[in-house]
């Protein structure tokens, strides 16, 4: 019985649509703009990551080909010299790895200054040094307190991969991915670990910037330790200090 009573007034129902407040509209527009910008940035970052990955892989393959060609040339030269009845003399090493093996007690002021220049401020610190007449003289001055030699490419790689820290805004940042290298050395064309290893190992034109970017390596005490009886002696006398040539690679393997 929906028929209204004849004596009651007729009620009209008018529905009014509420208008969305201006502040809500502005907030929605801002949120949409932020979301669009974030999506565009993520897409761009993803595309850049893919391009960088391909570029880094190509660089690594190129450097690997260079290393193999250099090794093959050295083997061919040695064989040719043997056939001719002579000797093949390889080029002088351009890179040295210096490791501090003694503390600060009894260090002369001049030797202490040289170790500061080489950034060897703590026990078992290690740094790369470009070999020239001046640095060789400096190394001889601090021989009782350090040991040094000529690292292989594998040693350079292991140090950077396992103990590598970069200097970003004077802070010690672990080299966990290539973005750290890009931030610190991208302007010099060094953008990935393969670039950094190649620049250090080949002592390239940007060696100084690459080496300064690397924080001094903090190595552990070698497996088995140093002998207290022979630690003060030169390596050629059966000790640990001074130049040890290619044998530095065996020591680094025990200290990583």
């Amino acid at each position: 019985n929906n028929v209204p009573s004849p004596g009651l007034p007729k009620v009209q129902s008018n529905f009014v649509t509420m208008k969305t407040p201006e502040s809500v509209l502005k907030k929605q527009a801002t949120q949409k703009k932020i979301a669009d910008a974030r999506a565009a940035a993520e897409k761009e970052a993803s595309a850049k990551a893919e391009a960088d990955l391909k570029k880094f892989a190509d660089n690594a393959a190129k450097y690997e080909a260079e290393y193999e060609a250099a090794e093959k040339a050295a083997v061919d030269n040695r064989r040719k010299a043997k056939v001719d009845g002579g000797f093949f003399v390889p080029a002088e090493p351009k890179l040295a790895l210096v490791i501090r093996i003694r503390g600060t007690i009894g260090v002369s002021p001049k030797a202490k200054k040289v170790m500061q220049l080489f950034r060897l401020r703590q026990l078992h610190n290690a740094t790369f040094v470009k070999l020239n007449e001046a640095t060789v003289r400096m190394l001889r001055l601090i021989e009782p307190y350090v040991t040094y030699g000529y690292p292989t490419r594998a040693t350079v790689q292991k140090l950077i991969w396992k103990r590598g820290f970069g200097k970003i805004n004077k802070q010690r940042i672990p080299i966990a991915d290539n973005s750290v290298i890009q931030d610190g050395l991208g302007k010099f064309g060094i953008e990935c670990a393969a670039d950094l290893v190649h620049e250090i190992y080949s002592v390239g034109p940007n060696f100084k910037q690459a080496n300064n970017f690397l924080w001094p390596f903090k190595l552990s005490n070698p497996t088995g330790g140093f002998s207290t009886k022979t630690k003060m002696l030169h390596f050629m006398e059966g000790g640990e200090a001074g130049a040890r040539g290619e044998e530095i690679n065996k020591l680094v393997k025990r200290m990583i």
Side-chain angles (χ1 to χ4, degrees), residues 113-120 127 129 135 138-139 142:
K113 180 64 178 175
V114 171
M115 284 193 282
Q116 285 177 359
L117 291 173
F118 284 156
R119 303 184 297 156
L120 300 170
T127 56
V129 173
T135 54
M138 291 164 76
L139 285 171
I142 60 172

Side-chain angles (χ1 to χ4, degrees), residues 159-227:
L159 281 171
I160 292 175
W161 289 349
K162 294 188 175 182
R163 294 296 177 100
F165 284 79
K167 190 189 296 181
I168 305 289
N169 297 326
K170 297 183 180 179
Q171 291 183 321
R172 185 171 181 258
I173 308 296
I175 303 177
D177 53 43
N178 290 323
S179 63
V180 178
I181 300 172
Q182 280 182 317
D183 291 343
L185 296 170
K187 57 186 175 182
F188 301 108
I190 302 171
E191 298 181 2
C192 64
D195 292 341
L196 183 57
V197 169
H198 182 262
E199 192 69 24
I200 293 291
Y201 180 66
S202 63
V203 190
N206 295 312
F207 172 82
K208 182 179 179 181
Q209 289 82 0
N211 197 28
N212 286 339
F213 165 77
L214 285 172
W215 204 276
F217 301 104
K218 295 187 177 185
L219 304 181
S220 307
N221 202 49
T223 306
F226 290 121
S227 171

Side-chain angles (χ1 to χ4, degrees), residues 39 75 153 183 216:
V75 170
R153 178 168 57 93
D183 291 343

Side-chain angles (χ1 to χ4, degrees), residues 233-252:
L233 296 176
H234 194 281
F235 183 75
M236 301 301 290
E237 300 171 341
E240 302 290 352
R244 57 173 67 205
E246 300 286 342
E247 293 298 312
I248 194 72
N249 299 291
K250 293 181 181 177
L251 178 63
V252 170

Side-chain angles (χ1 to χ4, degrees), residues 3-11:
V3 181
S5 301
L8 295 175
K10 189 176 181 181
V11 179

Side-chain angles (χ1 to χ4, degrees), residues 6-251:
L8 295 175
K10 189 176 181 181
V11 179
Q12 292 183 353
S13 57
N14 296 326
F15 297 97
V16 180
T17 306
M18 293 292 293
K19 189 178 179 183
T20 307
E22 192 71 22
S23 59
V24 174
L25 292 174
K26 283 184 177 179
K27 186 176 181 180
Q28 289 175 349
T30 303
Q31 288 176 338
K32 184 177 183 303
K33 188 177 179 182
I34 291 172
D36 292 344
R38 187 187 297 120
E42 288 176 357
K43 187 177 180 182
E44 185 180 348
S46 177
K48 184 178 183 300
E50 283 186 22
D52 285 349
L53 195 62
K54 185 178 183 307
K55 181 181 177 184
F56 298 158
D58 291 344
N59 285 356
K62 181 181 73 174
Y63 298 143
E64 197 64 36
E66 283 182 22
Y67 301 141
E68 287 179 4
E71 289 173 9
K72 185 176 183 302
V75 170
D76 291 344
N77 287 331
R78 281 197 293 271
R79 286 175 179 168
K80 185 175 183 302
K82 187 176 181 181
V83 169
D84 296 341
F87 295 96
F88 171 66
V89 180
E92 287 288 320
K94 297 183 288 183
L95 179 70
L97 177 67
V98 188
I99 305 174
R100 182 167 180 168
I101 60 171
R102 283 177 63 182
T104 57
I105 299 174
V107 181
S108 67
K110 190 175 283 188
K112 190 179 288 187
K113 180 64 178 175
V114 171
M115 284 193 282
Q116 285 177 359
L117 291 173
F118 284 156
R119 303 184 297 156
L120 300 170
R121 296 176 180 270
Q122 294 176 325
L123 186 66
H124 299 153
N125 271 12
T127 56
F128 295 114
V129 173
K130 181 180 180 180
L131 290 177
N132 53 40
E133 189 178 345
T135 54
V136 168
R137 281 206 304 267
M138 291 164 76
L139 285 171
R140 285 179 183 153
L141 188 66
I142 60 172
E143 270 191 351
Y145 314 104
V146 302
T147 185
Y148 61 94
Y150 314 126
T152 60
R153 178 168 57 93
T155 298
V156 175
Q157 280 181 340
K158 282 180 184 176
L159 281 171
I160 292 175
W161 289 349
K162 294 188 175 182
R163 294 296 177 100
F165 284 79
K167 190 189 296 181
I168 305 289
N169 297 326
K170 297 183 180 179
Q171 291 183 321
R172 185 171 181 258
I173 308 296
I175 303 177
D177 53 43
N178 290 323
S179 63
V180 178
I181 300 172
Q182 280 182 317
D183 291 343
L185 296 170
K187 57 186 175 182
F188 301 108
I190 302 171
E191 298 181 2
C192 64
D195 292 341
L196 183 57
V197 169
H198 182 262
E199 192 69 24
I200 293 291
Y201 180 66
S202 63
V203 190
N206 295 312
F207 172 82
K208 182 179 179 181
Q209 289 82 0
N211 197 28
N212 286 339
F213 165 77
L214 285 172
W215 204 276
F217 301 104
K218 295 187 177 185
L219 304 181
S220 307
N221 202 49
T223 306
F226 290 121
S227 171
T228 53
K229 295 180 181 178
T230 60
K231 190 174 182 180
M232 306 295 185
L233 296 176
H234 194 281
F235 183 75
M236 301 301 290
E237 300 171 341
E240 302 290 352
R244 57 173 67 205
E246 300 286 342
E247 293 298 312
I248 194 72
N249 299 291
K250 293 181 181 177
L251 178 63

